Amino acid sequence: MSSKTASTNNIAQARRTVQQLRMEASIERIKVSKASADLMSYCEEHAGSDPLLTGIPTSENPFKDKKTCIIL
Amino acid sequence: WDSFTTNKEHAVTMPCTWVMACAYAPSGCAIACGGLDNKCSVYPLTFDKNENMAAKKKSVAMHTNYLSACSFTNSDMQILTASGDGTCALWDVESGQLLQSFHGHGADVLCLDLAPSETGNTFVSGGCDKKAMVWDMRSGQCVQAFETHESDINSVRYYPSGDAFASGSDDATCRLYDLRADREVAIYSKESIIFGASSVDFSLSGRLLFAGYNDYTINVWDVLKGSRVSILFGHENRVSTLRVSPDGTAFCSGSWDHTLRVWA
């Protein structure tokens, strides 16, 4: 009896997996060449406003050292 | 913490020994945190010294295993949580009610990240079953799944445009997955890197990927070229978490050496 319910559970689970996979297989995909071109153009566009990429002038940098290091 | 003066502003003690997740509310008025206590608690922030923050604590989420990650959605009113019980869940903060649960991972869910757009209602989660899954928050359905990592996925982060996401894993690689092409498009790895990546984040433009590793270093990868730009030393124990600041001028890394370091 228990083996029968176990196999029914497995079947139900397998059916769900198949359904999920069918759903995933049917989504619309674009070509990687187009996707990567889009990623590249996004990077180019925003590169100017990225402080970690293009750097900011030291006068504006809130993290720059305020006092010189004195060695005692 | 105040990151410019390095002063500790508030400390909140939690009843459990490990706090594994914390998040700021979008308004900056509350924080959510949780860990081995299986719950996510929200604390309203107050700068009044006479108020005891712990007294106003509200328990929002209840899982059957540890809480590994939490994040507010676009508003202060909803929280998304990921747990060691293999599920993610969306909760209403006011009532503490479960709005939606997401089942599908075969093992502990270690991380999650929300899609960046204001109207976005998808999020990605990564787990110990080596899968990264993208979910629709309204229906609770898994929309896409990616299973190319060879070990637990420790961290996932959306690319700034929202069309891709990166993941860091115990298999010592970081990978970039494109959502519209529905596949992995880049791997960031080197033979000399053998320790897992615990945390990843993108710079503002998405050109740089910062990844903290268990070998105490942070590697900076060029997202488009797939090559390493630089390696940052400084921590004395494994780097467990890493985040770029919202204005993109610096990023902060937290480590098992009890320090948080801000890199600019």
Side-chain angles (χ1 to χ4, degrees):
Chain A
M1 276 296 285
S2 59
S3 64
K4 199 168 178 193
T5 39
S7 60
T8 338
N9 279 344
N10 285 342
I11 293 180
Q13 199 163 0
R15 262 191 237 265
R16 273 198 300 263
T17 320
V18 169
Q19 205 177 12
Q20 174 73 18
L21 288 172
R22 277 215 181 108
M23 212 185 68
E24 285 179 25
S26 60
I27 59 181
E28 285 208 14
R29 287 178 197 80
I30 64 173
K31 285 196 184 298
V32 174
S33 47
K34 165 100 175 53
S36 39
D38 283 347
L39 288 177
M40 276 167 33
S41 58
Y42 185 92
C43 276
E44 306 288 304
E45 247 182 72
H46 291 82
S49 53
D50 187 350
L52 286 172
L53 198 59
T54 51
I56 46 179
T58 36
S59 51
E60 287 172 18
N61 187 354
F63 290 108
K64 73 167 188 289
D65 297 320
K66 295 190 176 50
K67 299 181 279 214
T68 49
C69 196
I70 305 172
I71 302 177
L72 298 166
Chain B
W1 298 91
D2 178 318
S3 65
F4 295 139
T5 62
T6 75
N7 287 336
K8 190 190 295 192
E9 301 255 333
H10 271 92
V12 182
T13 46
M14 298 270 295
C16 62
T17 48
W18 278 50
V19 180
M20 300 170 85
C22 62
Y24 240 121
S27 64
C29 297
I31 50 172
C33 45
L36 284 186
D37 58 354
N38 301 359
K39 298 192 287 222
C40 186
S41 313
V42 178
Y43 295 84
L45 271 187
T46 160
F47 288 106
D48 182 352
K49 286 198 199 44
N50 298 328
E51 293 250 30
N52 181 6
M53 258 173 68
K56 293 241 175 95
K57 158 180 135 165
K58 192 196 301 240
S59 241
V60 174
M62 268 306 279
H63 277 282
T64 52
N65 208 329
Y66 66 89
L67 193 87
S68 54
C70 64
S71 174
F72 281 87
T73 59
N74 291 327
S75 76
D76 273 16
M77 289 295 104
Q78 294 185 347
I79 290 193
L80 198 52
T81 58
S83 165
D85 62 11
T87 67
C88 299
L90 182 66
W91 308 83
D92 177 274
V93 176
E94 263 316 301
S95 61
Q97 218 183 7
L98 174 68
L99 297 171
Q100 186 66 261
S101 75
F102 306 91
H103 296 260
H105 273 288
D108 305 11
V109 186
L110 292 182
C111 50
L112 60 81
D113 191 33
L114 275 127
S117 83
E118 279 90 44
T119 54
N121 30 35
T122 59
F123 72 94
V124 60
S125 64
C128 289
D129 55 356
K130 311 178 205 165
K131 285 206 282 212
M133 301 175 90
V134 182
W135 306 86
D136 179 329
M137 282 201 279
R138 289 167 305 182
S139 65
Q141 289 280 19
C142 168
V143 182
Q144 287 170 282
F146 302 90
E147 195 170 352
T148 59
H149 269 294
E150 289 156 25
S151 185
D152 306 354
I153 297 183
N154 293 316
S155 172
V156 288
R157 184 76 62 216
Y158 264 98
Y159 189 80
S161 70
D163 290 328
F165 69 91
S167 59
S169 159
D170 275 344
D171 64 4
T173 66
C174 295
R175 292 169 202 242
L176 184 69
Y177 297 90
D178 189 295
L179 292 172
R180 292 173 311 159
D182 190 33
R183 51 172 298 174
E184 174 190 297
V185 292
I187 294 191
Y188 307 100
S189 69
K190 257 179 130 55
E191 271 190 30
S192 52
I193 302 178
I194 53 173
F195 283 83
S198 58
S199 182
V200 296
D201 200 3
F202 283 102
S203 67
L204 261 197
S205 67
R207 184 66 195 265
L208 300 174
L209 178 70
F210 300 97
Y213 288 80
N214 294 339
D215 61 1
Y216 317 171
T217 65
I218 297 171
N219 287 302
V220 186
W221 300 90
D222 181 321
V223 172
L224 301 180
K225 294 190 190 157
S227 57
R228 182 168 67 186
V229 172
S230 84
I231 181 169
L232 300 170
F233 297 97
H235 276 293
E236 288 149 25
N237 206 322
R238 55 164 86 175
V239 179
S240 52
T241 181
L242 191 155
R243 272 296 193 127
V244 174
S245 71
D247 63 358
T249 50
F251 72 94
C252 183
S253 54
S255 158
W256 283 23
D257 65 2
H258 319 292
T259 65
L260 292 164
R261 284 170 208 251
V262 180
W263 308 77

